[in-house]
Amino acid sequence: QVQLVESGGGLVQPGGSLRLSCAASGTIFSINDMGWYRQAPGKERELVATINSGGSTDYVDSVKGRFTVSRDNAKNTAYLQMNSLKPEDTAVYYCNADIRGPYVRTVYWGPGTQVTVSS
């Protein structure tokens, strides 16, 4: 059984930083694309950043220059370094991963971690 778990969320003041982690566990043969999404109250879930197995990244315009996505393939973990945080970054942040196991290849989601940016 494969699981994804996010961590690192919390309350931070505007201009502050947080680093989110997304760890995959279970019987994993390989992980392809990994992504970070967020959902603010009353809004649809939006894609924030992606990283493929080769390390190529992409970002939504609103976080470019402030957020950095990375991954440690040996640890089956992705990270989202968030700097210069703004109140509009407040949301539940989710990660997902395209994972190949012994029998199937499936996209898994974590339960999410709350990020609140407020003074």
Side-chain angles (χ1 to χ4, degrees):
Q1 184 75 8
V2 173
Q3 288 188 323
L4 287 182
V5 178
E6 303 97 338
S7 61
L11 173 64
V12 63
Q13 293 187 341
S17 298
L18 283 175
R19 188 191 195 207
L20 306 183
S21 299
C22 170
S25 61
T27 304
I28 297 170
F29 282 9
S30 63
I31 301 178
N32 301 299
D33 293 355
M34 301 184 78
W36 286 96
Y37 292 71
R38 66 186 179 187
Q39 187 166 18
K43 295 187 177 181
E44 294 186 354
R45 188 173 298 189
E46 68 168 346
L47 177 63
V48 176
T50 60
I51 183 166
N52 67 16
S53 58
S56 294
T57 60
D58 198 12
Y59 301 89
V60 67
D61 286 346
S62 60
V63 307
K64 285 181 179 177
R66 301 189 297 122
F67 291 11
T68 302
V69 60
S70 61
R71 62 192 284 173
D72 183 334
N73 291 329
K75 295 181 178 180
N76 291 331
T77 300
Y79 305 96
L80 186 67
Q81 177 68 44
M82 305 185 295
N83 298 328
S84 302
L85 282 161
K86 305 175 180 181
E88 52 263 43
D89 295 317
T90 296
V92 177
Y93 283 70
Y94 301 89
C95 73
N96 77 354
D98 179 0
I99 296 175
R100 182 181 297 278
Y103 306 109
V104 297
R105 175 179 172 177
T106 304
V107 174
Y108 294 88
W109 287 86
T113 185
Q114 176 71 47
V115 171
T116 303
V117 184
S118 175
S119 55

